[in-house]
Amino acid sequence: MSTTAIDVHAGHHHPKGVWPWIMRWVTTTNHKDIGTLYLTFSLVMLFVGGALAWVIRAELWEPGMQFVQPHVFNQMTTVHALVMVFAAIMPAFAGFANWMIPMLIGAPDMALPRLNNWSFWLLPFATGLLILTFFLPGGAPAAGWTMYPPLVLQQGASLPFSIFAVHLLGLSSIMASINIIVTIMNMRAPGMSLMKMPMFCWTWLITAYLIIIAMPVLAGAVTMLLTDQFFGTSFFSAAGGGDPVMYQHIFWFFGHPEVYIIILPAFGIISQVIPAFSRKPLFGYAAMVYATAAIAFLSLIVWAHHMFTVGMPLGGQLFFMLSTMLIAIPTGVKVFNWTATMWRGSLTFETPMLFALGFLFMFTIGGFSGLMLAIAPADFQYHDSYFVVAHFHYVLVPGALFGAFAGAYYWLPKWTGVMYDEKLGRWHFWLSTIFVNLTFFPQHFLGLAGMPRRIPDYAVQFADFNMMSSIGAFGFGAAQLLFVWIVIKAVRGKGEKAADKPWEGAEGLEWTVPSPAPHHTFDTPPVIK
């Protein structure tokens, strides 16, 4: 085991033997290695969160109680959401940031490599702590991912564990964000001004600032829950002069920027992919940058549109309704610019482009249903119904997740040095698209007909749409096994060798280095003309 022989392959230094190999991955400070760790972890967590969703959809297959008790069902909905947001989607985009930002800006590595290592290794422990709560007395947290008091304070022993897990997950995000900001601000190649950066770098720079603003707010809210439960404070207890609605305000001041923390990096990936397969530069680059900044700013002032039904004064309802509708303008700018980029372009439809187009169509559906929810009087009907579930899943699954798939297929040849299986990639896209719509589109009708969310049983008139939704969920989960197989094949080198620039229309510094990208990319920084 103690052998330290080095296998040099394509510029990568791999120690021989099990223990040195493990320690290489545990102690690595290389941005590509850490990016790989993030992406692998996020893929595993996608299946963990998906398994919890399968339990939810199995229970909702037909009316009546089938497999789990209501309390266990609520644990599933809560932990499913926390795992998907904090352990699957956010780490996926952190993986893209680690792999690609140094290559896109001509930097040799991330600015703070040891911090980078630490920010990743907090994740598996934090997520493990969260999943461990299933085995505690009283089970996992079961008050929804929002953890509203007073319900969350009536849980078993899981409360402090889940709060500590949320703290660690937030800490990991904040450290990664600091690293990204310092890298982009200080390590760009000579001649690369901010307005010459690829859009992916811009969206991540803005996202990183949002994380630093929003995550400590969540930490404060859950810490106040902790002190209410164990130290006799009354922040959210009406009996002690507190107010449970204050928790909602604090939580959503984090929760609404969080939506954009998840989607903005996907916007960045789509802004790389669409120009490459349209063989045209991105239409309205400066407008895209300003629109991203406008979305981020507006996301900080619209939080209470999640709370129209709490008894808000009319002036508050009007402000949050109108400011929420305002977000449609910069988002619309982005959609129009992506469409204008494709207009009269020389389009081809490889898998990354298919996922980008799927993103464009289905994310727009999610955006429109969001506008419906922004209308305060109408929201009284939609609130806490399956319409809301359909809305945010259209933003997160064919939105954020399809954006991640587009990025994975786009850069996989650069990461592995071989072309992925295009035929299987297209199968993955079409199966995912069919099943994601079968899962979530019927939920709009369920919500409009009055089916509440987070319930394990329902009236018989909702049965048909629920069964369709469950079939879609099982199909969508199974389709992702195809993606795993495509990635494994590429990583094992099964496929034709990738050119340094496999996509004809792709632009950027990452295509100037060999495929697979060497362990250390730029020994001397490239000069941008």
Side-chain angles (χ1 to χ4, degrees):
M1 289 291 190
S2 63
T3 174
T4 54
I6 299 290
D7 165 28
V8 181
H9 168 66
H12 293 253
H13 299 270
H14 296 305
K16 288 281 177 61
V18 176
W19 183 247
W21 183 85
I22 290 171
M23 288 313 290
R24 169 189 168 239
W25 285 102
V26 170
T27 60
T28 182
T29 54
N30 180 277
H31 74 98
K32 298 184 183 73
D33 285 352
I34 293 170
T36 303
L37 287 170
Y38 266 113
L39 290 164
T40 307
F41 174 76
S42 110
L43 189 56
V44 171
M45 286 299 120
L46 184 69
F47 282 96
V48 172
L52 300 175
W54 273 12
V55 175
I56 294 166
R57 288 313 324 172
E59 181 55 57
L60 294 172
W61 176 264
E62 59 186 16
M65 302 306 298
Q66 332 291 329
F67 301 106
V68 293
Q69 293 302 311
H71 184 60
V72 176
F73 181 89
N74 288 342
Q75 293 173 42
M76 292 292 161
T77 58
T78 304
V79 180
H80 159 74
L82 290 169
V83 165
M84 284 303 200
V85 169
F86 291 112
I89 296 292
M90 286 176 74
F93 290 123
F96 283 111
N98 267 293
W99 246 104
M100 297 315 302
I101 286 175
M103 288 167 69
L104 289 165
I105 64 173
D109 205 309
M110 296 295 279
L112 307 164
R114 287 173 189 270
L115 187 75
N116 207 9
N117 176 290
W118 193 31
S119 69
F120 170 75
W121 281 110
L122 278 175
L123 274 178
F125 291 100
T127 312
L129 193 62
L130 182 63
I131 291 167
L132 189 71
T133 57
F134 278 115
F135 305 101
L136 293 174
W145 83 287
T146 53
M147 298 188 278
Y148 279 176
L151 180 60
V152 77
L153 301 177
Q154 297 160 18
Q155 311 285 303
S158 64
L159 181 71
F161 285 85
S162 50
I163 285 176
F164 188 47
V166 166
H167 272 293
L168 289 177
L169 291 162
L171 190 61
S172 163
S173 300
I174 290 168
M175 293 195 301
S177 300
I178 292 169
N179 207 351
I180 287 164
I181 290 169
V182 176
T183 304
I184 290 176
M185 287 306 199
N186 295 333
M187 298 183 68
R188 300 191 305 280
M192 182 175 279
S193 66
L194 283 172
M195 291 307 279
K196 284 183 186 168
M197 283 199 310
M199 269 310 297
F200 181 68
C201 300
W202 260 116
T203 56
W204 243 118
L205 179 65
I206 290 167
T207 301
Y209 279 111
L210 270 184
I211 287 173
I212 290 170
I213 293 167
M215 281 295 171
V217 178
L218 175 66
V222 294
T223 304
M224 289 150 84
L225 283 178
L226 206 60
T227 61
D228 270 14
Q229 183 76 325
F230 296 105
F231 298 102
T233 58
S234 296
F235 289 113
F236 311 126
S237 164
D243 184 0
V245 174
M246 182 172 77
Y247 176 86
Q248 297 190 27
H249 279 288
I250 301 169
F251 178 87
W252 286 114
F253 187 82
F254 146 80
H256 200 74
E258 173 63 24
V259 177
Y260 292 93
I261 287 164
I262 288 170
I263 202 67
L264 286 181
F267 285 175
I269 289 172
I270 300 304
S271 301
Q272 303 293 121
V273 171
I274 286 180
F277 294 94
S278 304
R279 288 156 183 77
K280 276 175 65 186
L282 182 67
F283 180 86
Y285 171 88
M288 291 291 259
V289 172
Y290 298 134
T292 308
I295 288 170
F297 170 72
L298 289 170
S299 78
L300 294 166
I301 62 165
V302 298
W303 72 90
H305 66 214
H306 298 267
M307 303 166 49
F308 282 141
T309 58
V310 300
M312 198 185 297
L314 185 62
Q317 290 187 32
L318 276 172
F319 171 81
F320 286 108
M321 178 169 85
L322 296 172
S323 57
T324 302
M325 289 179 168
L326 216 53
I327 293 192
I329 297 171
T331 310
V333 167
K334 287 185 160 306
V335 172
F336 281 117
N337 282 17
W338 289 322
T339 310
T341 304
M342 292 185 284
W343 176 251
R344 294 194 170 170
S346 180
L347 273 68
T348 52
F349 299 100
E350 288 87 349
T351 310
M353 185 62 160
L354 289 176
F355 273 104
L357 289 172
F359 170 97
L360 198 56
F361 279 101
M362 290 181 278
F363 172 78
T364 306
I365 293 173
F368 278 131
S369 60
L371 269 176
M372 293 170 69
L373 290 164
I375 301 166
D379 187 69
F380 276 73
Q381 175 69 22
Y382 307 137
H383 187 77
D384 264 348
S385 76
Y386 257 79
F387 189 86
V388 180
V389 178
H391 154 68
F392 69 73
H393 280 91
Y394 261 91
V395 174
L396 293 183
V397 186
L401 189 61
F402 271 38
F405 284 145
Y409 284 110
Y410 182 58
W411 284 310
L412 201 58
K414 181 56 64 187
W415 298 343
T416 62
V418 299
M419 293 304 290
Y420 63 86
D421 188 322
E422 181 64 47
K423 189 175 177 185
L424 286 182
R426 291 177 186 211
W427 269 103
H428 175 224
F429 167 75
W430 285 111
L431 288 171
S432 295
T433 300
I434 290 163
F435 283 125
V436 84
N437 284 294
L438 186 60
T439 307
F440 299 116
F441 206 77
Q443 293 178 8
H444 291 102
F445 303 119
L446 288 171
L448 291 173
M451 180 172 163
R453 62 196 276 202
R454 296 188 188 134
I455 55 161
D457 191 10
Y458 53 83
V460 71
Q461 70 261 30
F462 302 133
D464 293 350
F465 278 143
N466 266 300
M467 189 174 281
M468 284 166 62
S469 207
S470 292
I471 291 168
F474 294 132
F476 184 77
Q480 304 325 305
L481 293 169
L482 198 54
F483 177 67
V484 175
W485 175 239
I486 291 165
V487 171
I488 288 171
K489 270 181 73 174
V491 169
R492 289 173 61 193
K494 301 278 196 285
E496 62 180 271
K497 182 155 175 26
D500 291 350
K501 184 178 164 182
W503 314 119
E504 186 191 325
E507 296 294 334
L509 291 175
E510 76 267 42
W511 309 112
T512 63
V513 302
S515 298
H519 205 55
H520 295 285
T521 318
F522 297 106
D523 290 327
T524 54
V527 178
I528 312 298
K529 293 289 187 289

